[in-house]
Amino acid sequence: MTISALRKEFSAQLSDIYTESESTFIFQIFVENILELNTIQQRQLADQEVSSENESKFQQIISALKTGKPYLQILGETEFYGMKFFVDENVLIPRPETEELLEMAIQKIQLLPLGNSVLKILDIGTGSGVIPLVLKKHFPNAEISSIDFSEKALETARKNADFHSLDVKFLHADYLQFALEEKYDVIISNPPYIGIEEETEIADSVKEFEPKMALFSPTSDALIFYRKIAEDAKKHLKNDGLLFLEINQKLGPETLELYNYFSNAQLLKDLSENDRFIYGKK
């Protein structure tokens, strides 16, 4: 079977799930990964025969996609903030909104008057490690600690840290029961913030294949993590320290209210005009 014929079969078999453009985009990604052909080469070599071994790989991919499994989980990797990250069923697939969070954080952190002191950053809920590792790449001399409740998620985060040769201190702990000891210049977090009652609104491809503990609040209080962060920031965020949070768009004002003791706390929108971030300066 040629690449062209395989593309047509790929689209036809997935027509109930994806539009033509979506299936073409996903197909191109897997062709680049399996056949090592970029999109230009794929067009130029459309009549090239695909080996039976590789054809079988595509059939397995089609079967997995039909279950609703995210294509990035099948691929096993994604690009985020210009860096390659490994992803699997134990971590959330990083979203564009988190790139926005990091872009803001990097810009603000660069303005901190640290002098000769070492920049200390705490990340809460690391998942695949995208937040601490992007920050470590941009601030190589920073001491970054990152907490997660899932040991399997931390295994993926460590794999990503090793891949990029970046040194982050990963801590396996239940943050809601964890007592901080140090003080930090920056606290940043994208914690579980979807309320239990919102589960029916979440796509099956998300809630059936991505870890629920990283998506949903563990209690009926969707702000439980933000309350703990607010209390910890009182004692463990240095004066003039910075706070960056990704939040539930439905609970913007309520989340902001928790940080009213900051000298400056703002509710900010994402590119889709949803209340998505809290930025605070203590």
Side-chain angles (χ1 to χ4, degrees), residues 32-198:
E32 186 161 357
N33 180 260
I34 295 171
L35 304 183
E36 299 182 349
L37 299 174
N38 61 37
T39 52
I40 295 174
Q41 292 171 321
Q42 290 175 35
R43 288 194 294 271
Q44 293 173 339
L45 302 172
D47 294 329
Q48 177 176 295
E49 290 289 328
V50 178
S51 70
S52 56
E53 179 184 354
N54 285 330
E55 191 176 325
S56 177
K57 289 180 181 178
F58 276 93
Q59 293 301 332
Q60 292 171 10
I61 290 166
I62 289 170
S63 296
L65 289 170
K66 282 183 174 181
T67 69
K69 188 171 185 177
Y71 76 89
L72 289 170
Q73 273 189 11
I74 300 169
L75 190 65
E77 61 187 55
T78 188
E79 183 176 307
F80 180 88
Y81 219 91
M83 298 168 64
K84 174 182 170 181
F85 287 94
F86 300 106
V87 294
D88 55 33
E89 69 279 2
N90 300 305
V91 299
L92 287 185
I93 295 169
R95 269 64 169 179
E97 293 82 4
T98 307
E99 287 188 318
E100 294 181 53
L101 177 73
L102 277 164
E103 185 175 8
M104 172 178 60
I106 290 166
Q107 291 173 351
K108 301 286 189 183
I109 293 170
Q110 287 171 338
L111 301 176
L112 279 174
L114 292 170
N116 295 321
S117 62
V118 175
L119 176 66
K120 299 193 72 170
I121 300 174
L122 174 66
D123 165 54
I124 300 163
T126 191
S128 60
V130 293
I131 288 178
L133 294 175
V134 168
L135 290 176
K136 185 66 175 179
K137 182 177 180 181
H138 284 80
F139 304 100
N141 295 322
E143 291 182 3
I144 303 180
S145 299
S146 197
I147 299 172
D148 203 286
F149 184 57
S150 168
E151 182 59 53
K152 290 184 177 181
L154 288 174
E155 288 176 9
T156 304
R158 293 187 187 103
K159 181 179 178 181
N160 284 318
D162 290 343
F163 179 77
H164 290 288
S165 300
L166 294 171
D167 183 21
V168 168
K169 182 181 180 182
F170 292 110
L171 303 171
H172 179 221
D174 178 357
Y175 171 68
L176 294 176
Q177 306 299 324
F178 187 70
L180 298 179
E181 297 179 353
E182 301 182 55
K183 287 200 169 185
Y184 300 91
D185 299 287
V186 176
I187 294 177
I188 186 168
S189 183
N190 176 21
Y193 58 65
I194 301 174
I196 294 172
E197 72 282 356
E198 295 180 70

Side-chain angles (χ1 to χ4, degrees), residues 12-50:
Q13 291 214 38
L14 297 169
S15 60
D16 291 341
I17 303 174
Y18 299 111
T19 65
E20 180 74 21
S21 60
E22 288 172 337
S23 61
T24 297
F25 172 75
I26 295 170
F27 178 77
Q28 289 173 339
I29 289 174
F30 281 106
V31 171
E32 186 161 357
N33 180 260
I34 295 171
L35 304 183
E36 299 182 349
L37 299 174
N38 61 37
T39 52
I40 295 174
Q41 292 171 321
Q42 290 175 35
R43 288 194 294 271
Q44 293 173 339
L45 302 172
D47 294 329
Q48 177 176 295
E49 290 289 328
V50 178

